[in-house]
Amino acid sequence: MNKILVANRGEIALRVMRSAREMGIQTVAVYSEADATMPFVTFADESFCIGPAPSSESYLLGDKIIEVALACGADGIHPGYGFLSENAGFSDACQKAGIKFIGPTAHSIETMGSKIAAKQSAKKFDVPMVPGTDSPIQDVAEAKEIAARTGFPLLIKASAGGGGKGMRIVHHMEELEEQLNMAKSEALNSFKDDSVFIEKYVGSPKHIEIQILGDTHGNYVYLFERECSIQRRHQKLVEEAPSSCLTPEIRKAMGECAVNVGRSCDYHGAGTVEFLVDNDLNFYFLEMNTRLQVEHCVTEMITGIDLVKEQIYVADGKALSFTQDDLNINGHAIELRICAEDPLNNFLPDIGKLEVYKRPQGAGIRVDDGYEEGMEIPIYYDPMIGKLVAWGSTRSEAIDRLTRAIEEFRINGIETTLPFGKWAINHEAFVKGQFDTHFIANYYKPELLEQFSEEQKEIAALIAVNIFKEKTEQPKPLNMSTSKWKNRSNMR
Ligand code: MV4
């Protein structure tokens, strides 16, 4: 591989290009008219504007991006996450154009893109799954039969869904028919596919995912887990590795299941297998994400493996250069997503200009971001502006470092998730490792952040009053006999 085009923007485009550059590979950026001055564009060796700001007219134009890749002689395309990263047709089109797609095949993406196909695929290897069905519900009668078997509460999920879309909880047999119809019409509207399936509802689960890597020679490894239970509206906000609740035995069992899910669809490259883990540490396969994920950095920090470099090696046909036995967990890493969202106002996106933007530094801190001070956050894309990751030799050191780095981070001009993050990682339940996917719903209230800032406002007001007094009060005549300055100058 000599030249890679990155079909993405912002922090992930930069992050991919940095690894490529370390490997001596040329980098190509494609960008929208809104992104002309972004750091990823200036970082790249070459860059091409591919259209107006809306993604549908720029970052989602697969054919146009392949055209640019062919014209500039790129031999690989890295899709990052989002946009075209889980588009089976794009993976295929790259391959057909003679360009290496740095990601899995269309077959892997299609299999795991359908939750029902994914469950059927995983079943070949006896991967544990939540009781329920792994084929589409045909009619109400079948749904009632299954409901009688699994019990309530249960979940109706859209096969084409993911990230919680098209998911409905059902508490009683009486509401089953209505919820089934609603789930099907919602799925049809959102995904043009009305297939749904049923699972028993796991009440207070932890969301734990396993990072895997596979090559094109049939070798697989797992790079341990990431705990991602701190989410809001299916948007992760804090992620850590390793999870503080797993035992070495369960970690190994989950890792081996994850590798088998990959094996079941001939997966190659970096992928993530999601599990629900209940209070008794039973784990259940949920779905697989066939891309590099936002939170991959915490895995990199505890394993020392550069996942993007591995993706590139694998896409180039190379065999993995290490085995499972070579991998170890070193220390602990926690990531906070820095989003242009207002945690005091329902996490609504906050647009504006990064009037002040000063990154934290120091031991164990990694900042992956996509903007510079003075830039506007465009409204067209995801509100995530970057990620703040802290590594520590223990979980407690990682919490302390991340807290220190959050305090050191200076962002003015927009509201961000920074104050929320400081609150979350210092909450008693988080510190003790006793939390699940309901953490935010159970404990978060905007007032908890306002108390902090109210206190800060009060201090700021007191300082301002003092400065005002100093400036406006009549200067008192200096009492020469008590001036240390005079005494000191006499000593010279
Ligand atoms: C579940 C579940 C409970 N029981 N399945 C949400 C997104 C999709 N990946 C699957 N999801 C869930 N599936 C059963 N059988 C609870 C969730 C869920 C969830 C999962 C992970 C992280 C956050 C979540 C928030 C709400 C619901």
Side-chain angles (χ1 to χ4, degrees):
M1 205 98 69
N2 293 307
K3 193 189 271 194
I4 288 174
L5 181 150
V6 181
N8 215 301
R9 65 182 298 281
E11 68 92 17
I12 195 62
L14 255 184
R15 190 262 163 275
V16 169
M17 288 179 197
R18 286 193 167 118
S19 286
R21 180 155 300 162
E22 288 173 22
M23 295 167 82
I25 297 171
Q26 296 283 301
T27 56
V28 183
V30 288
Y31 63 95
S32 75
E33 285 162 13
D35 284 345
T37 61
M38 292 275 284
F40 78 94
V41 177
T42 38
F43 184 94
D45 297 301
E46 291 168 75
S47 52
F48 301 94
C49 183
I50 50 167
S55 335
S56 58
E57 297 170 50
S58 49
Y59 297 106
L60 289 171
L61 295 179
D63 292 341
K64 187 156 191 175
I65 291 169
I66 290 173
E67 247 175 66
V68 172
L70 289 171
C72 72
D75 35 27
I77 295 184
H78 195 300
Y81 50 69
F83 297 130
L84 296 164
S85 61
E86 290 171 289
N87 185 316
F90 184 65
S91 169
D92 219 27
C94 289
Q95 236 66 47
K96 290 210 167 86
I99 294 166
K100 288 165 178 143
F101 179 71
I102 304 169
T105 58
H107 166 72
S108 298
I109 298 176
E110 266 161 12
T111 306
M112 293 302 155
S114 154
K115 308 302 157 233
I116 289 173
K119 290 185 92 171
Q120 286 171 354
S121 184
K123 210 164 81 168
K124 293 184 270 183
F125 286 90
D126 288 327
V127 176
M129 280 176 258
V130 187
T133 52
D134 55 20
S135 55
I137 300 292
Q138 298 300 329
D139 49 39
V140 188
E142 190 195 355
K144 287 189 171 166
E145 220 176 279
I146 293 151
R149 242 191 307 121
T150 56
F152 293 92
L154 58 78
L155 277 176
I156 305 174
K157 294 183 175 184
S159 179
K165 250 193 182 173
M167 216 170 67
R168 306 204 73 98
I169 186 162
V170 185
H171 296 277
H172 311 285
M173 196 62 98
E174 298 77 68
E175 54 176 9
L176 183 66
E177 180 165 1
E178 190 192 351
Q179 294 289 4
L180 180 69
N181 292 332
M182 284 175 47
K184 280 174 94 77
S185 79
E186 202 176 300
L188 189 65
N189 276 329
S190 307
F191 316 112
K192 300 187 189 90
D193 171 3
D194 75 347
S195 335
V196 296
F197 60 102
I198 286 177
E199 276 182 2
K200 183 163 177 57
Y201 178 70
V202 181
S204 299
K206 288 168 86 74
H207 171 129
I208 297 184
E209 56 186 34
I210 309 283
Q211 177 70 56
I212 68 160
L213 272 175
D215 64 20
T216 52
H217 307 271
N219 303 304
Y220 291 92
V221 294
Y222 58 88
L223 293 96
F224 315 108
E225 76 278 7
R226 293 185 288 259
E227 154 66 66
C228 305
S229 296
I230 310 230
Q231 316 199 346
R232 205 181 172 283
R233 293 193 227 105
H234 303 288
Q235 168 82 21
K236 294 166 188 159
L237 284 165
V238 177
E239 303 105 340
E240 62 174 315
S243 163
S244 52
C245 80
L246 295 191
T247 63
E249 293 73 29
I250 290 169
R251 174 170 295 123
K252 183 163 186 274
M254 288 179 77
E256 284 168 1
C257 282
V259 156
N260 279 336
V261 173
R263 205 172 262 134
S264 80
C265 67
D266 294 317
Y267 197 85
H268 64 68
T272 299
V273 182
E274 283 185 19
F275 293 92
L276 287 182
V277 179
D278 70 17
N279 272 328
D280 303 321
L281 296 188
N282 297 304
F283 61 89
Y284 309 98
F285 167 62
L286 265 191
E287 53 193 76
M288 179 173 186
N289 300 315
T290 57
R291 60 168 190 277
L292 184 73
Q293 290 194 266
V294 172
E295 61 271 25
H296 74 279
C297 312
V298 292
T299 300
E300 294 187 323
M301 290 180 96
I302 63 152
T303 60
I305 301 286
D306 183 322
L307 287 167
V308 171
K309 285 181 186 166
E310 297 306 322
Q311 286 186 298
I312 295 170
Y313 287 133
V314 167
D316 215 7
K318 296 193 172 70
L320 292 177
S321 62
F322 49 86
T323 65
Q324 192 63 53
D325 288 341
D326 297 325
L327 291 168
N328 287 298
I329 297 175
N330 178 26
H332 203 101
I334 310 177
E335 171 181 286
L336 171 65
R337 296 191 190 197
I338 319 286
C339 304
E341 292 173 349
D342 187 356
L344 297 183
N345 187 17
N346 219 8
F347 291 86
L348 287 176
D350 192 37
I351 49 164
K353 187 175 170 184
L354 291 170
E355 301 285 356
V356 176
Y357 187 78
K358 305 256 183 276
R359 299 167 183 88
Q361 295 181 330
I365 296 300
R366 169 173 170 179
V367 183
D368 276 24
D369 60 10
Y371 295 87
E372 292 288 350
E373 191 167 88
M375 295 184 74
E376 295 267 349
I377 311 296
I379 54 164
Y380 301 96
Y381 315 108
D382 192 278
M384 196 184 82
I385 57 179
K387 300 160 336 198
L388 174 58
V389 197
W391 179 92
S393 54
T394 62
R395 185 170 188 267
S396 151
E397 187 179 40
I399 292 175
D400 293 343
R401 278 209 172 126
L402 187 53
T403 304
R404 183 271 292 171
I406 291 170
E407 288 167 352
E408 208 175 305
F409 221 136
R410 286 277 165 270
I411 304 181
N412 288 350
I414 54 164
E415 298 302 326
T416 72
T417 46
L418 279 173
F420 166 82
K422 180 177 164 182
W423 168 83
I425 64 170
N426 289 285
H427 189 278
E428 189 186 344
F430 184 85
V431 171
K432 287 185 175 163
Q434 289 164 359
F435 57 97
D436 55 39
T437 50
H438 304 305
F439 176 84
I440 295 179
N442 284 348
Y443 303 118
Y444 180 66
K445 281 184 292 195
E447 303 90 271
L448 296 170
L449 301 191
E450 266 167 336
Q451 272 179 7
F452 272 117
S453 53
E454 280 308 314
E455 190 183 317
Q456 285 162 347
K457 279 180 208 164
E458 213 169 287
I459 293 167
L462 286 172
I463 294 170
V465 165
N466 280 329
I467 292 171
F468 178 79
K469 276 185 184 163
E470 274 172 26
K471 281 189 179 166
T472 53
E473 268 168 19
Q474 291 294 328
K476 292 189 184 109
L478 257 177
N479 182 343
M480 296 307 227
S481 63
T482 58
S483 167
K484 290 189 174 118
W485 290 109
K486 190 170 174 246
N487 293 342
R488 279 183 181 269
S489 66
N490 285 346
M491 278 156 59
R492 274 207 214 117

